[in-house]
């Protein structure tokens, strides 16, 4: 399941953050790549302990915690502290798959990467190329979002970032361990939740809503791994 969530930051909020990020201390992206991805990864990143990365990363998590669609789609159990990457002209990240489990720096905590997330920060009009290409069962999805929008996709997907041919693509990326490990189960729960919300707005009968809401929670109880 691929889910786009708009407005984590407004265009203006994204712009201010991109300007601060541009002036930050960027390092070679290979530092956090596994053996296979190192060969195809050509970009720059902020260090995980960079104070600006932590500051904006915390803002992202705060915004997402208040976002009903994010909470319903991801059912988050643990969120990896957001990282930041930059692709300049000629930089790209070829097809790869993200590591299944990632240790959080300076802690013993680990996150199983059930979902991958990319928050687009740079204005898409300011760069060419840089599309995130995700292979899923329906083929390849090409994703390039307005500044401040986030895309969630299964951590199990093979994906790449196309070469940037003009400007600079700055984004945040991270992973979420979900209460519900299976993508298909999360997709079903999200569909059901959206339908329940819609029925509530249409003043459907209380009895049916109670029954459906009960089904949602009983499925979540059956599948949640707390
Ligand atoms: Ni990746």
């Amino acid at each position: 399941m691929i889910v786009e969530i708009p407005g984590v930051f407004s265009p203006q909020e994204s712009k201010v953050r991109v300007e601060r990020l541009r002036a930050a201390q960027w390092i070679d992206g290979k530092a956090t790549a596994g053996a296979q991805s190192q060969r195809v990864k050509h970009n720059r990143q902020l260090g995980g302990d960079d104070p600006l990365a932590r500051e904006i990363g915390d803002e992202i998590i705060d915004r997402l915690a208040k976002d009903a669609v994010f909470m319903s789609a991801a059912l988050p159990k643990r969120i990896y502290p957001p990282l930041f990457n930059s692709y300049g002209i000629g930089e790209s990240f070829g097809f790869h798959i993200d590591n299944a489990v990632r240790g959080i720096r300076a802690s013993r905590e680990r996150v199983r990467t059930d979902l991958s997330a990319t928050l687009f920060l740079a204005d898409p009009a300011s760069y060419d190329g840089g599309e995130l290409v995700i292979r899923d069962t329906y083929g390849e999805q090409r994703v390039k979002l307005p500044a401040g929008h986030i895309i969630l996709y299964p951590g199990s997907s093979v994906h790449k970032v196309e070469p940037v041919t003009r400007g600079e693509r700055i984004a945040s990326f991270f992973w979420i361990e979900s209460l519900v490990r299976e993508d298909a189960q999360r997709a079903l729960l999200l569909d059901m939740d959206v339908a329940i919300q819609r029925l509530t707005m249409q003043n459907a009968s209380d009895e049916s809503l109670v029954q459906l809401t009960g089904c949602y929670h009983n499925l979540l109880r059956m599948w949640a791994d707390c």
Side-chain angles (χ1 to χ4, degrees):
M1 168 180 65
I2 296 180
V3 179
E4 176 184 340
I5 301 170
V8 177
F9 289 131
S10 70
Q12 183 57 28
E13 287 173 333
S14 304
K15 192 173 172 214
V16 171
R17 283 153 187 79
V18 164
E19 277 163 13
R20 293 183 68 200
L21 286 164
R22 272 190 216 284
Q25 193 73 43
W26 295 90
I27 58 173
D28 190 335
K30 290 190 201 299
T32 57
Q36 185 273 330
S37 358
Q38 272 197 7
R39 306 199 325 227
V40 290
K41 187 173 186 184
H42 309 283
N43 68 359
R44 286 154 298 129
Q45 282 180 203
L46 289 191
D49 48 7
D50 184 287
L52 184 60
R54 292 287 50 80
E55 182 190 328
I56 301 178
D58 288 347
E59 288 178 336
I60 294 169
I61 305 257
D62 285 349
R63 295 288 174 97
L64 291 175
K66 294 178 193 135
D67 190 299
V69 178
F70 173 79
M71 294 305 284
S72 181
L75 296 166
K77 178 177 173 184
R78 267 192 280 266
I79 301 182
Y80 192 93
L83 296 171
F84 294 82
N85 57 17
S86 164
Y87 294 79
I89 295 171
E91 292 183 316
S92 63
F93 194 168
F95 273 124
H96 67 280
I97 194 150
D98 295 341
N99 289 352
V101 177
R102 299 199 74 112
I104 299 177
R105 286 168 74 96
S107 86
R108 289 191 175 176
E109 259 196 278
R110 286 182 296 187
V111 174
R112 189 184 62 224
T113 58
D114 296 326
L115 296 102
S116 295
T118 296
L119 173 64
F120 288 75
L121 288 169
D123 177 355
S126 70
Y127 63 95
D128 290 329
E131 292 85 358
L132 171 66
V133 180
I134 303 162
R135 270 190 193 156
D136 74 6
T137 42
Y138 301 106
E140 286 188 358
Q141 313 290 321
R142 300 175 67 81
V143 182
K144 184 171 183 177
L145 299 183
H149 291 214
I150 196 167
I151 187 102
L152 303 178
Y153 58 100
S156 54
S157 327
V158 171
H159 56 278
K160 69 173 175 180
V161 175
E162 293 280 43
V164 166
T165 56
R166 177 183 64 90
E168 186 181 13
R169 175 201 197 264
I170 291 182
S172 174
F173 65 104
F174 53 97
W175 300 272
I176 299 133
E177 179 173 331
S178 178
L179 292 168
V180 176
R181 177 195 289 237
E182 288 300 325
D183 182 63
Q185 292 174 336
R186 279 196 309 276
L188 195 151
L189 287 169
L190 177 61
D191 265 356
M192 205 165 173
D193 196 16
V194 169
I196 291 169
Q197 303 301 331
R198 199 174 294 140
L199 286 170
T200 304
M201 291 205 293
Q202 291 166 352
N203 296 315
S205 90
D206 276 353
E207 208 180 327
S208 309
L209 269 175
V210 168
Q211 199 171 10
L212 268 177
T213 307
C215 288
Y216 175 88
H217 283 287
N218 289 332
L219 283 172
L220 181 55
R221 198 186 328 275
M222 198 183 300
W223 293 335
D225 158 30
C226 295

